[in-house]
Amino acid sequence: MGPDTTTGLPLRGLRILDLTEGAAQSCGRYLADLGAQVILVEPPGGSAGRAEPAAFALRNANKTSVVLDLDQAAGRAELLRLAGFAAIALESASPATAAARGLTPAVLRQAHPGLVVVSITGFGQTGPYRDFAATEPVLTALAGVLSRSGRPGAAPVLPPAGLIEPTVGVHAAWAALVAYVHRLRTGIGEHVDVSALEAVVHGFDPGFGTQGSAAAGRPESFPRGRPDASDLYPVFGCADGHVRICVLARRQWRAMFSWLGEPAEFADPRYDAIPARYEAAARLNPLIAALFADATRADLVAEGTRRGIPVAGVLTPAEVLATGHFTASGTLIDAEIADGLTARIPSGYVSVDGVRAGLRQRAPRPGEQDVPRTAPPGPAAAPPWSATEQSGLATEQSGLATEQAAGRHWPVPSAASGQPPDGWSPGDGPLAGLRVLDLGVIVFGAELGRLFADQGADVIKIENSAFPDGLRQTRKGGGMNASFAWGHRNKRGLGLDLRTDEGRRLVGELARQADVVAANFKPGTLASLGLSHAELSEVNQGIVVCESSAFGSRGPWRERLGYGPLVRASCGVTALWRDPELPLGDPAAFCDGSTVYPDHIAGHVAAVAVLAALIGRSRSARGAAIEIAQADVALMHLGPALAAESLALPPAAHVPAAVFSCAGDDEWCVIDVRDDADWARLAQVLGQPELAGGDLATACGRLRRRTQVEDLVARWTAARPPAQVMSVLQAAGVPAGAMLRLPDELTDPHLTARESFRTLAHPLLSRPVPANARIAHFSSVPDPPLRPAPMPGEHTRDIARTLLGLTGAEIDRLVRADVLQLPQEAVALPAIPGAITPETAGEARMPGLAAQPSADRRNSARRAPAAPGRSRRSRRVRAMRDIGELTERLRHFAAARDWEQFHTPKNLAMALAGEAGELLAEFQWLTPEEAAGIMTDPQAARQVRSEIADVFLYLIRLADVLGVDLLDCAAGKLAENEHRYDAATYRGSRRKAPRLS
């Protein structure tokens, strides 16, 4: 295969056996890009994926190949021999196939106890769906992505092909390296069970994970229909196509307002806020559309840049291939990807020390091998480096000694010793001892740091309270956004102003003791702060600095303002993610407005590269500079589509492969026929086996009669609920997936069986929220803890004292100078007399509820029937629980350490009044009929009213503490919620409430 080209790459010499097929092969490709020696194990005749040459070539570049017949004893014996040379084995066989071959993960680990075995399957090794067939469309449906894609009232729209598969591969690569570090620390191998479904649920655009900046304009509930996302990041027609804008910050809106000629209709300062503009989109967007209609994309982008308004052209794949920026930045290259096949393709995800870690050599021919023939010295679990790298072990040990002598605090042992470092135990997490300085913001920054924090690293979130992370914004200006709680769990918080010389000096001092500095600022920002890798490595040669931006630090777009929606538009994602039922020129056809992509997966890509650099540092004692452009992530995912476009290849013909309407209200199911065998099985299920012959026997024949074929299938699905369609077809071996909405994920039998969600609590959340439980199922690596996300500056004093060595007096001086920032003191609040808390709500009982009603009351015509499956008593208990949670929300709201963000007591009271309005509006757990029924029970009615009165008395007393008139503050909010209590009710309550001193 040619000379070694991995010099300088962090995973150089790490040997990996890749037994995977299809989408799972992208995991080995990324690890190979980072320097690992990945040996693809193929069956006689080659991998089945070779039927799609471009996709196979991109999944398997930088690998070597060996052909083994694993259905024969000789092939299995050779595989076990090769496994003795490997540190990691990737496999994607179904549990049944692995068991039939006698090559289960347990067998591999029994033969080689030091081996890390990573199983990458559609649904994991356990659970009711474990034997289901998984394809991208099926995963899209079951992971909740499809339910948020498309126009309200229309059929849901599948995302472009290629976005889901690499998400799974990157997710598996992270899990593999985490397990490998654990093996380095313990000397013991690991089995990692990666479920593609869970990787997409938690890693693509998680419904219960960090959200983008425009989330402030979205409803907090989960509406059943698809969201009208066209107004979140709107697309407008122009003279030569379309452009998208992202007007989020106040300054951006003010610039847009000026560009529009300052229309009086939008002069009100309330339009400075995203929610107000979102609600007024029907009036605002036509003005922008008229302004843009006659200009070109280039002119609009240039004018937007001049005004500070993020604008991007919506490019097709052909236009992307011809874009100068992607050529100048090294993102797109012309390369041989297979024998006789040269295409324009994305080169790789990241750069390491200024060099692209990407395609170095084409995908191998079957059996084009470079595999070891002589066993290295020592046991099978000993060094995972190739024979030519044995001399590197000495360098590794020397480097480790250098690090530890210099006070490094992540003493990963050499692979040869396999001994845990002093003071570390497996319960600490594999990355315990690492320190990460997290300067990142919004989704990317949150995800990158969280991945390390979840695995035990000490991640310090550094932020300036004058410019808080965008994830901290809430709809009403208080409490904590669930996005921040999700994205920053398990971290510590340091309040610090980097704009000051002293602040920069302190961060530089922290960097001396850190392993990683991560940021996603505009290119050049870290250098301007004196925190570039070149500068930090002078004082800490082991530091790894990771920088991310929208379009990277090279090329003509390096200065462009970048957000995920603009990245999608510029990379071809938006153009491909459209409703085929609408005309090409209709801006409403673009359906990617509600997704947050590629932010999450870009954070995962960066995390893999950073951890690889830290593993490489254990041999060289030197860190690395990692750079990742989010645009490059999107382009890597569209690689097969771009390669096909450059080669003028027709799209793959899978027919039928579509979203089909099912019985019920807006119910859908994906069916994805992969080949002729799937079609024959589907024909059997339809009761028409003759369809498997004749013109329809081949994909080409079905493609010619596509409408007829899809109509035939649609008539069958329309009579059945989606869960039945999925179960019947999957039992027959046909890939199918019911469309799940986000709340459905929490009760899905498979996700429930695999305990995919846990509950995350935070004192400033109104109630606990579901959160991802883990990145994968590990045989011995513990699940992450769920420590609450920090408040601004929550750990400033402790960090300044223990890491910076500052005295109390020095800390106080820096706080007075606003260099360091401490958490704000909580507001002292009166207690709610007799209030029910979430902890006691389950035990609470309304008077009279425990007793059975009398016969005449049971038969009363005024009593409404209880909701199916839920007794009236249980609904009343739920009512008490809801009231308890909401009263606690009010207490947390005011007690928040960051309550100063409301600037004045009146603003705080207004926010509290908004919560009170929501409390009353949330009495929707009682239908009108049920409410009428409760009112026939005087005791229950009095108790409900008493609970409401307690809350109002509490609010009035709180208003007295703050010195504001609650009635004035609450009036607008109560009107919004159509509250039935009038002003006299409040004033009457005020007279009854004693003023607190």
Side-chain angles (χ1 to χ4, degrees):
M1 290 289 294
D4 182 10
T5 57
T6 61
T7 301
L9 292 173
L11 296 183
R12 183 187 185 206
L14 180 66
R15 183 172 291 136
I16 298 173
L17 278 185
D18 188 346
L19 289 75
T20 62
E21 284 282 0
Q25 291 173 339
S26 63
C27 172
R29 161 67 199 274
Y30 187 26
L31 296 174
D33 284 359
L34 293 169
Q37 181 189 7
V38 180
I39 303 169
L40 179 66
V41 179
E42 300 190 73
S47 170
R50 290 183 181 272
E52 297 182 3
F56 177 86
L58 294 181
R59 292 170 182 157
N60 293 286
N62 298 331
K63 301 180 185 179
T64 59
S65 170
V66 59
V67 173
L68 297 176
D69 188 348
L70 299 182
D71 293 322
Q72 300 297 321
R76 293 192 292 272
E78 176 63 6
L79 176 70
L80 291 176
R81 188 189 76 82
L82 290 176
F85 297 85
I88 299 171
L90 310 174
E91 65 93 19
S92 62
S94 70
T97 299
R101 289 174 170 167
L103 289 175
T104 63
V107 169
L108 292 172
R109 291 187 60 217
Q110 183 177 13
H112 304 290
L115 187 65
V116 172
V117 180
V118 183
S119 299
I120 311 168
T121 56
F123 298 94
Q125 302 288 298
T126 61
Y129 301 167
R130 77 169 198 164
D131 295 319
F132 278 14
T135 64
E136 274 201 331
V138 168
L139 294 173
T140 298
L142 285 168
V145 178
L146 183 64
S147 66
R148 293 173 281 166
S149 174
R151 294 176 293 125
V157 176
L158 287 167
L163 301 191
I164 298 298
E165 169 193 314
T167 297
V168 179
V170 170
H171 196 87
W174 170 253
L177 292 188
V178 167
Y180 176 61
V181 170
H182 185 265
R183 173 252 182 268
L184 287 177
R185 305 191 84 158
T186 64
I188 301 171
E190 188 80 18
H191 179 222
V192 186
D193 174 12
V194 175
S195 157
L197 174 62
E198 290 172 282
V200 180
V201 166
H202 299 307
F204 181 76
D205 178 16
F208 303 99
T210 51
Q211 303 296 308
S213 300
R218 302 173 183 167
E220 293 178 332
S221 60
F222 296 108
R224 180 172 177 77
R226 277 161 294 293
D228 187 359
S230 59
D231 295 330
L232 291 174
Y233 308 106
V235 173
F236 299 97
C238 62
D240 58 349
H242 296 85
V243 295
R244 166 171 275 163
I245 64 171
C246 285
V247 178
L248 302 174
R250 178 183 180 275
R251 65 183 182 280
Q252 294 166 352
W253 159 244
R254 283 289 156 187
M256 189 73 243
F257 178 67
S258 173
W259 196 359
L260 288 169
E262 301 188 355
E265 181 182 6
F266 294 100
D268 193 312
R270 73 188 185 93
Y271 292 109
D272 290 349
I274 292 174
R277 298 197 300 275
Y278 182 70
E279 292 169 4
R283 294 179 288 114
L284 175 60
N285 286 353
L287 300 181
I288 301 174
L291 177 68
F292 287 2
D294 297 327
T296 66
R297 287 179 297 187
D299 288 343
L300 291 171
V301 170
E303 183 63 14
T305 301
R306 188 183 71 81
R307 292 175 177 268
I309 301 170
V311 183
V314 177
L315 304 184
T316 66
E319 290 171 328
V320 169
L321 290 173
T323 297
H325 170 79
F326 296 128
T327 302
S329 65
T331 301
L332 294 179
I333 60 173
D334 295 313
E336 181 189 24
I337 58 176
D339 277 339
L341 193 63
T342 298
R344 177 158 289 193
I345 58 165
S347 55
Y349 282 120
V350 301
S351 294
V352 179
D353 292 331
V355 177
R356 180 78 61 166
L359 188 139
R360 302 183 303 277
Q361 59 191 32
R362 58 166 174 74
R365 307 180 194 97
E368 191 172 6
Q369 59 190 3
D370 179 16
V371 298
R373 294 301 177 188
T374 304
W385 316 108
S386 63
T388 58
E389 290 293 309
Q390 293 304 302
S391 62
L393 288 174
T395 304
E396 176 188 352
Q397 304 239 17
S398 174
L400 284 165
T402 301
E403 286 192 65
Q404 294 179 26
R408 305 289 315 147
H409 53 267
W410 195 51
V412 177
S414 72
S417 70
Q419 298 299 315
D422 292 340
W424 180 84
S425 68
D428 295 334
L431 305 188
L434 273 177
R435 181 161 296 132
V436 179
L437 303 185
D438 181 1
L439 299 170
V441 294
I442 314 293
V443 175
F444 175 92
E447 286 293 287
L448 172 55
R450 178 188 62 80
L451 288 170
F452 279 86
D454 280 358
Q455 299 304 322
D458 177 20
V459 180
I460 299 174
K461 168 69 173 171
I462 301 176
E463 58 185 326
N464 183 350
S465 62
F467 302 96
D469 191 317
L471 290 186
R472 286 201 184 273
Q473 66 177 338
T474 58
R475 291 173 64 86
K476 298 177 184 67
M480 176 173 281
N481 191 324
S483 277
F484 194 90
W486 278 315
H488 294 282
R489 68 188 192 188
N490 298 323
K491 300 181 185 179
R492 295 198 287 168
L494 170 65
L496 182 143
D497 188 351
L498 270 171
R499 298 172 301 170
T500 64
D501 292 340
E502 192 76 359
R504 292 191 291 273
R505 184 189 67 79
L506 293 175
V507 172
E509 184 59 34
L510 286 173
R512 288 177 180 267
Q513 310 168 54
D515 300 276
V516 180
V517 172
N520 57 325
F521 302 140
K522 186 170 65 175
T525 301
L526 278 188
S528 70
L529 295 171
L531 300 174
S532 69
H533 178 260
E535 292 169 288
L536 292 180
S537 62
E538 291 182 1
V539 297
N540 179 357
Q541 70 169 357
I543 195 77
V544 175
V545 177
C546 178
E547 293 191 76
S548 174
S549 59
F551 297 103
S553 63
R554 293 182 291 274
W557 289 1
R558 62 185 179 276
E559 296 294 332
R560 276 198 180 184
L561 295 171
Y563 295 96
L566 301 188
V567 169
R568 295 195 299 272
S570 301
C571 294
V573 174
T574 300
L576 293 171
W577 199 332
R578 61 181 309 281
D579 189 335
E581 299 300 319
L582 291 182
L584 287 174
D586 190 342
F590 302 107
C591 296
D592 66 321
S594 68
T595 190
V596 182
Y597 172 87
D599 307 58
H600 295 91
I601 189 58
H604 290 225
V605 168
V608 172
V610 170
L611 187 51
L614 293 167
I615 291 170
R617 187 186 69 178
S618 69
R619 296 193 307 151
S620 67
R622 300 194 65 83
I626 305 293
E627 184 184 357
I628 174 172
Q630 292 202 32
D632 294 0
V633 173
L635 291 174
M636 281 291 289
H637 293 184
L638 291 181
L642 294 172
E645 179 73 30
S646 75
L647 295 169
L649 297 176
H654 291 187
V655 180
V659 182
F660 293 93
S661 180
C662 298
D665 176 23
D666 193 35
E667 299 287 0
W668 304 83
C669 186
V670 162
I671 300 174
D672 188 18
V673 169
R674 298 164 294 188
D675 51 31
D676 297 341
D678 276 352
W679 170 246
R681 288 187 282 267
L682 177 57
Q684 287 284 348
V685 172
L686 296 176
Q688 302 184 58
E690 68 278 5
L691 295 175
D695 290 346
L696 300 182
T698 66
C700 291
R702 293 191 298 276
L703 183 61
R704 286 193 298 267
R705 299 169 61 182
R706 183 175 208 144
T707 300
Q708 178 187 347
V709 169
E710 292 182 350
D711 287 347
L712 180 70
V713 177
R715 285 194 295 273
W716 182 81
T717 63
R720 295 163 176 80
Q724 180 184 351
V725 172
M726 176 178 72
S727 61
V728 169
L729 291 181
Q730 286 282 5
V734 180
M739 184 186 80
L740 296 188
R741 294 169 172 85
L742 296 180
D744 299 335
E745 294 177 356
L746 305 179
T747 57
D748 176 76
H750 186 76
L751 295 174
T752 300
R754 288 179 61 83
E755 299 180 330
S756 189
F757 289 95
R758 294 162 69 192
T759 300
L760 177 66
H762 196 287
L764 298 182
L765 289 175
S766 61
R767 57 176 59 86
V769 293
N772 68 312
R774 63 191 68 82
I775 58 169
H777 285 263
F778 294 87
S779 55
S780 60
V781 173
D783 282 349
L786 292 179
R787 293 187 297 274
M791 295 308 303
E794 180 173 343
H795 305 99
T796 296
R797 191 173 288 278
D798 180 58
I799 292 169
R801 179 177 54 82
T802 59
L803 299 184
L804 295 172
L806 300 178
T807 66
E810 289 172 321
I811 295 171
D812 291 341
R813 176 185 66 79
L814 292 169
V815 169
R816 288 192 297 271
D818 204 31
V819 172
L820 291 178
Q821 298 156 0
L822 301 178
Q824 299 298 313
E825 296 298 325
V827 181
L829 299 175
I832 304 178
I836 299 170
T837 68
E839 290 73 22
T840 62
E843 303 172 0
R845 296 291 183 271
M846 295 184 186
L849 286 184
Q852 291 292 323
S854 63
D856 59 327
R857 184 173 297 155
R858 285 198 303 268
N859 297 327
S860 171
R862 290 182 294 174
R863 293 295 293 264
R870 178 180 291 166
S871 68
R872 188 173 293 108
R873 179 176 180 275
S874 69
R875 289 184 69 85
R876 290 175 184 165
V877 172
R878 178 186 168 199
M880 298 294 288
R881 183 180 294 112
D882 283 355
I883 291 171
E885 289 180 353
L886 288 163
T887 54
E888 282 297 287
R889 181 194 303 178
L890 298 175
R891 179 182 291 116
H892 292 320
F893 218 63
R897 295 178 184 176
D898 65 339
W899 75 278
E900 82 284 357
Q901 68 180 285
F902 300 110
H903 306 300
T904 66
K906 180 173 181 179
N907 286 346
L908 174 59
M910 289 180 68
L912 288 166
E915 292 293 310
E918 280 209 354
L919 183 155
L920 297 167
E922 289 191 33
F923 269 70
Q924 60 186 347
W925 39 257
L926 291 179
T927 66
E929 293 79 9
E930 288 168 327
I934 279 187
M935 293 311 164
T936 66
D937 185 336
Q939 287 182 305
R942 277 197 298 271
Q943 184 63 37
V944 171
R945 289 169 181 161
S946 174
E947 285 296 320
I948 296 174
D950 279 345
V951 174
F952 286 141
L953 286 172
Y954 175 71
L955 282 171
I956 292 163
R957 292 174 181 178
L958 177 62
D960 285 340
V961 170
L962 297 172
V964 298
D965 188 318
L966 181 65
L967 177 60
D968 291 343
C969 295
K973 294 292 183 182
L974 295 174
E976 289 177 15
N977 288 307
E978 299 179 352
H979 185 243
R980 63 182 180 275
Y981 291 94
D982 58 17
T985 305
Y986 273 85
R987 292 196 175 97
S989 297
R990 181 185 296 281
R991 286 193 294 271
K992 297 176 185 177
R995 188 173 185 86
L996 301 175
S997 57

